[in-house]
Amino acid sequence: MGCIVNNYQKDRLTKAIVQRALFLLFDAAYQACQSHGLPKFPINWVRFYQDSETSLQLSRYGFCPSEIKRIGYTFESIQAYHCLMWTRKVEQTTYNDHCTDYECQSSRNSTTRSATKHVDDICRCTNYRVSVSEIVDNLSIGSLPLLKITPGTCLNDMRLALIQASPGSDYVAYSHVWSDGLGNPYANSLPKCQLKRLHDLTRQFVPSSESDGSTPGLPIWIDTLCCPVEPPAAKSLALHRMKVPYTEASHVLVLDSSLEQVECVGLHLTEVGLRIFTTGWMRRLWTLQEGALPQKLWFQFRDMAVDLDWVKIGAFECCQSKMGRQLLGYDIIMAYHGLRGIFHQFALEADADLVSVSNALKFRSVSVPTDEPLLVGGFLKLDVGYVLDGSESTRMQ
C-alpha cells in the first residue's frame, strides 16, 4: 500500500486524499469480512493512518499530541479518525511544545493552585464554606456527608445544609476536572453561583411531574466540599472511602468544559460518543474510578445530560444497521467497556484485574504523582489505608 501512495508525490494534498481513500477502502473490506464471518485482516490500519498529515490536522482542531496517540490506541477504525478530523474540540486549553505522546503538560500545568472560578467572569458572589467539623463528624461514624441546597430569590437567600446519606438516598455525585473551575485546594468552599448551578443541574433527574422550577433538586456530593482539605487525618479518612459516593449515588454527573459548550440535540449519536471519549476528563486518573463505579453515569452537554448507557445502546444499533458507521459503533462500544468494564460488577466489592487496570491507566495522569498508588491500590482491592498512613514521600517506593 505504501508504494501506491508514494506514486502520488505531486503534492502533499493529493497524497493525503489518496491515502485516506485507500484506508477507507480497507476499512470497508474489513467491515465486510466481519459482517459475513470471513477471516479478519490481522492488522490495525490506524497505525499506518496516523501519519504526520493526519496528526497535524487533528492538532489544528485542538487535539494534544497525547490525545492523538490515545486516539490511535482507543479507536481501531478509520471512520473514527475521519469523524474526529471534522469534529473541532470546543475548549480553552492551549497546548504547548512540551506535551509528549503520553502526557499532556498543559493539562497538568492548568491545574493551578487557584482553580476555583465563577459561573460568569463578571460574577463577584461570595463563597460558601462547608463546616469541616461537620464533615469529619459524618465521616467518623461511617456516614456519607451530602449537601442539601435550597434555592432562594437570589444567591444570598440560598440555604445550604450538610446532611447524612441514608441507605437508598437519591443524590447526584459530581465528577469533574479541577482545572475546569470547581476545584479548591485551599478550603472546602465554592462560589455560591457554582452551587446554584450544581443544584439546578440535579433537577433534570427529578421526575417531570415533580420538577416545576421551584421544587428543590436532589442533594449533591462533590469532592471539593465533602472531602476535607485538612486536617490530614480527616482527609485520609475521606480518601480511604472515596469509592463510596460514586458507588452509592443514584446518578453520577460528569462535568467537562469541552462538552458543556456543545449542544447535544442534533448531533449524530456517534459524534456524541466520540466527543465523550476524547474529553480531558478521560485523561485524568482520578476520574477513572469515578466513571467505572457508578450505577448510572451521565455526561453534561450544554442543553442536556446524556446517559452513557444510551450511547452504548445506540452504538450497538449502529453496528447492526448502518454499514457506513458499523466500525465506528464498534469503537464506541469498546471504549465504553474500557471505562465501565474495569470492575466486572458495578459494586463496591468488585475486583479489577491487573491487565484491565494497566490498560485503563494508559494516557491518564494526575497533578500530584503520589496520588497514583492510592488509585491503583484501590482498583486492585489493596489496603490503601496502609498507603495513606505513610508519608507522601514514601508512597512511590
Side-chain angles (χ1 to χ4, degrees):
M1 183 181 59
C3 62
I4 299 176
V5 175
N6 289 333
N7 287 333
Y8 289 86
Q9 296 291 349
K10 291 177 60 178
D11 59 69
R12 188 174 175 180
L13 178 61
T14 301
K15 179 181 177 181
I17 293 174
V18 172
Q19 186 182 46
R20 290 172 189 171
L22 286 172
F23 277 118
L24 287 171
L25 177 63
F26 287 124
D27 227 10
Y30 179 95
Q31 185 173 317
C33 291
Q34 189 177 42
S35 300
H36 293 83
L38 299 174
K40 301 177 183 178
F41 292 121
I43 197 167
N44 181 359
W45 298 110
V46 171
R47 288 184 301 166
F48 296 95
Y49 189 66
Q50 199 176 28
D51 61 357
S52 57
E53 184 66 29
T54 304
S55 298
L56 179 61
Q57 187 164 354
L58 287 173
S59 65
R60 287 172 178 168
Y61 282 0
F63 290 92
C64 172
S66 65
E67 285 184 289
I68 297 172
K69 189 74 174 181
R70 180 179 176 273
I71 288 168
Y73 176 81
T74 305
F75 304 115
E76 293 187 355
S77 71
I78 307 305
Q79 295 173 8
Y81 258 75
H82 181 75
C83 290
L84 284 169
M85 283 193 294
W86 302 105
T87 304
R88 186 180 298 274
K89 289 177 69 66
V90 184
E91 57 185 357
Q92 302 301 316
T93 305
T94 302
Y95 302 113
N96 59 52
D97 295 336
H98 299 291
C99 293
T100 68
D101 284 348
Y102 292 95
E103 185 175 22
C104 177
Q105 294 295 332
S106 297
S107 176
R108 170 170 289 192
N109 294 339
S110 65
T111 310
T112 63
R113 300 299 292 178
S114 55
T116 307
K117 303 174 184 176
H118 290 267
V119 172
D120 193 305
D121 289 339
I122 64 173
C123 181
R124 295 295 182 267
C125 68
T126 58
N127 278 22
Y128 174 81
R129 183 185 293 264
V130 176
S131 169
V132 175
S133 62
E134 289 188 54
I135 300 176
V136 174
D137 289 343
N138 277 267
L139 292 173
S140 61
I141 61 174
S143 178
L144 182 69
L146 301 177
L147 190 63
K148 182 180 179 180
I149 303 174
T150 304
T153 56
C154 64
L155 290 179
N156 289 331
D157 292 337
M158 185 170 56
R159 300 193 307 274
L160 302 97
L162 272 177
I163 61 174
Q164 292 182 11
S166 57
S169 294
D170 284 336
Y171 68 92
V172 176
Y174 282 99
S175 177
H176 62 106
V177 178
W178 276 36
S179 58
D180 280 349
L182 285 171
N184 189 338
Y186 298 116
N188 295 108
S189 69
L190 282 174
K192 291 181 178 179
C193 61
Q194 290 285 15
L195 291 171
K196 182 180 184 301
R197 179 174 77 102
L198 294 177
H199 168 266
D200 290 345
L201 288 174
T202 68
R203 284 195 174 123
Q204 61 193 321
F205 302 115
V206 177
S208 57
S209 60
E210 301 176 18
S211 181
D212 59 3
S214 60
T215 304
L218 297 175
I220 70 169
W221 185 96
I222 185 168
D223 55 358
T224 313
L225 297 178
C226 300
C227 182
V229 173
E230 55 182 17
K235 182 177 181 180
S236 294
L237 180 59
L239 290 175
H240 191 271
R241 305 183 69 241
M242 206 59 161
K243 288 183 180 180
V244 176
Y246 300 103
T247 304
E248 297 185 354
S250 47
H251 306 278
V252 171
L253 181 59
V254 174
L255 302 180
D256 183 277
S257 59
S258 66
L259 298 182
E260 290 188 272
Q261 300 177 61
V262 177
E263 291 193 358
C264 181
V265 173
L267 294 183
H268 192 279
L269 179 64
T270 51
E271 181 176 343
V272 173
L274 284 174
R275 285 188 179 275
I276 287 175
F277 287 111
T278 56
T279 57
W281 182 89
M282 289 284 178
R283 301 199 310 273
R284 306 304 292 170
L285 193 54
W286 273 110
T287 60
L288 180 56
Q289 72 173 10
E290 296 167 14
L293 287 167
Q295 304 170 46
K296 297 291 291 184
L297 182 64
W298 302 77
F299 287 80
Q300 185 65 46
F301 282 73
R302 184 175 181 178
D303 52 347
M304 62 182 292
V306 174
D307 184 350
L308 193 61
D309 287 339
W310 173 76
V311 174
K312 183 197 71 170
I313 293 170
F316 181 78
E317 292 175 351
C318 215
C319 291
Q320 300 297 313
S321 58
K322 299 179 181 179
M323 181 174 179
R325 294 180 182 267
Q326 281 184 355
L327 292 182
L328 184 53
Y330 175 78
D331 274 341
I332 292 173
I333 291 172
M334 294 304 294
Y336 172 95
H337 286 294
L339 174 67
R340 300 287 278 159
I342 300 171
F343 296 96
H344 301 300
Q345 298 176 357
F346 301 127
L348 187 61
E349 295 80 17
D351 291 317
D353 63 83
L354 186 58
V355 175
S356 298
V357 173
S358 177
N359 289 335
L361 292 178
K362 290 181 179 177
F363 305 102
R364 289 183 180 263
S365 62
V366 291
S367 299
V368 182
T370 52
D371 284 348
E372 290 186 20
L374 301 177
L375 289 156
V376 176
F379 277 121
L380 296 176
K381 207 178 179 183
L382 303 176
D383 184 6
V384 295
Y386 176 79
V387 179
L388 288 166
D389 290 340
S391 64
E392 290 192 359
S393 60
T394 62
R395 287 183 186 176
M396 304 297 287
Q397 295 179 4

